Amino acid sequence: MRKRSLPLSQVYRLLEPGPVVLVTTLHRARANVMAQSWHTVMEFEPPLVGCVVGADNHSFAALKATRECVINIPTVALARQTVGCGNTSGRDVDKFAAFGLTPKPASEVAPPMIAECYASLEARVVDTRMVNRYNLFVLEVVKAWVDADEKDPRTLHHRGRGRFMVAGETIHLPSRMK
Ligand SMILES: Cc1cc2nc3c(=O)[nH]c(=O)nc-3n(C[C@H](O)[C@H](O)[C@H](O)COP(=O)(O)O)c2cc1C
């Protein structure tokens, strides 16, 4: 294996966890969607998820003010719409209308789920101590929905500069992990 030095600005491309998600918020009676890939699971149950949301994003203000969102997980079938939601702002665009996404009422939180997504996680902000420093919101998932018929979802994994890996084959190995 021949290795080359990688610019530090590109390290994120190696560690991008994915899947790319679509985070919905509802603020001042307007629903919005943003693409998000900097997230990490922090606890099994109750499920905690850390999400970095840039302070310039419209979604940041909504999340800070309302403390609720839905983490929707698209598959490759929504690739174009996902990138669209990551390259436009809810300040100027109604992204549900612009990208043909269908809002569906959630059961525990006010922001809508996206009907076309393979899974939707209703979540509340439970810790904002790292928001000022890292734009990191800690969310607790309070209700989770998943497509009952989809066993191997072809989710999107961002590799930087418009490149995405699409999840493929599932393999089974013995493991202590849940
Ligand atoms: C694949 C992809 C992943 C992204 N991941 C993040 C992320 O993790 N955090 C973030 O703040 N912005 C992320 N973005 C950028 C936001 O989605 C983008 O700034 C968007 O315009 C914000 O929309 P809003 O202003 O309506 O909130 C990502 C964009 C793309 C295309």
Side-chain angles (χ1 to χ4, degrees), residues 88-174:
T88 50
S89 178
R91 267 182 219 102
D92 351 282
V93 179
D94 172 351
K95 298 192 210 178
F96 279 93
F99 300 111
L101 299 171
T102 313
K104 190 172 173 219
S107 66
E108 304 293 325
V109 299
M113 306 193 287
I114 298 174
E116 290 81 7
C117 282
Y118 135 79
S120 292
L121 312 177
E122 303 182 26
R124 291 204 183 94
V125 175
V126 290
D127 193 337
T128 55
R129 278 174 292 184
M130 280 176 290
V131 171
N132 283 347
R133 193 157 185 163
Y134 298 111
N135 297 332
L136 176 72
F137 293 84
V138 180
L139 308 173
E140 178 180 333
V141 177
V142 293
K143 182 78 192 167
W145 303 93
V146 67
D147 181 346
D149 302 316
E150 180 57 85
K151 296 288 177 272
D152 290 308
R154 301 190 67 219
T155 47
L156 293 165
H157 301 258
H158 188 219
R159 296 186 58 202
R161 299 189 68 188
R163 291 176 308 149
F164 293 85
M165 225 154 38
V166 180
E169 176 191 12
T170 300
I171 62 169
H172 295 267
L173 295 170

Side-chain angles (χ1 to χ4, degrees), residues 32 34-38 52-54 57-59 86 88-90 95:
N32 188 29
M34 73 168 267
Q36 215 251 354
S37 58
W38 288 11
V52 174
V53 177
N57 292 332
H58 198 52
S59 306
T88 50
S89 178
K95 298 192 210 178

Side-chain angles (χ1 to χ4, degrees), residues 69-86:
C69 67
V70 180
I71 302 168
N72 300 274
I73 309 178
T75 62
V76 67
L78 288 182
R80 191 184 52 79
Q81 294 90 328
T82 300
V83 173
C85 290

